Amino acid sequence: MSALPQINPAEATGEAATLLGELKKSVGSVPNMAKAMANSPALLKGWMSLSDALVGGVLPAAVRERLALATAEYNRCAYCLSAHTFLGKNVAKIDSDEIGRARHAESADPHTAALLALSDAIARGRGTVDETVLKSARSAGVTDAEIAEVVGNLALNILTNYFNIVAETDNEFPLVTPHQSA
């Protein structure tokens, strides 16, 4: 049972109704996380705005999904891990091996691996990263725009991880549980 009520889009009023309607129109459904976020239209709007902005960035969907998987694993957020495993497989078309690697901030692709390693180092360092981490990323071809967007995606993913953990959001995706050693 969710610690925050999920606002039914059909019963929502005001800005929450508008935002939930926009979300349903753009993605075809309203995930339980968004229904819980609708308790604060400001939060829901902020999440939607940052998500939309990053979709238009330089990082492709498959990379963003891998970043989300790594962050969800690190933060032990079963809701986000389940959602991004589902989205990674079914929308971004990431194979199971790469999904497993992403959960450990790894990839068979050197460029993607560098992005994941950078994101992981930022998360574990709480924003502080050793200069060698940035040099390593740059030597793998990571651009300034990608570095900036890794930070943006990390912030977005930490927001959703923490929110879903606090809210105890009901999971509507096939359950994926974090590894104990994460």
Side-chain angles (χ1 to χ4, degrees), residues 37-166:
M37 282 184 170
N39 284 286
S40 168
L43 175 62
L44 180 58
K45 184 177 184 177
W47 169 70
M48 289 171 63
S49 295
L50 183 54
S51 295
D52 288 347
L54 291 170
V55 164
V58 297
L59 296 176
V63 169
R64 293 192 314 274
E65 289 303 326
R66 286 175 174 92
L67 291 167
L69 286 163
T71 306
E73 184 70 47
Y74 177 68
N75 288 319
R76 296 184 177 172
C77 179
Y79 183 91
C80 291
L81 195 55
S82 300
H84 291 288
T85 296
F86 179 84
L87 294 169
K89 284 180 183 175
N90 298 297
V91 177
K93 305 299 183 194
I94 303 168
D95 67 48
S96 294
D97 181 58
E98 275 296 301
I99 286 174
R101 287 175 187 253
R103 290 178 65 178
H104 299 285
E106 300 170 355
S107 175
D109 175 71
H111 188 82
T112 301
L115 292 166
L116 287 163
L118 175 61
S119 180
D120 190 59
I122 294 167
R124 291 179 189 278
R126 294 178 178 90
T128 301
V129 264
D130 191 90
E131 185 178 315
T132 60
V133 173
L134 287 172
K135 284 183 180 180
S136 178
R138 290 183 194 283
S139 71
V142 174
T143 67
D144 291 341
E146 288 174 320
I147 292 169
E149 287 183 27
V150 162
V151 174
N153 277 276
L154 185 58
L156 177 68
N157 293 322
I158 290 170
L159 167 66
T160 60
N161 293 173
Y162 287 8
F163 178 82
N164 287 305
I165 291 167
V166 169

Side-chain angles (χ1 to χ4, degrees), residues 6-17:
Q6 294 176 13
I7 307 299
N8 181 335
E11 298 170 5
T13 59
E15 189 174 15

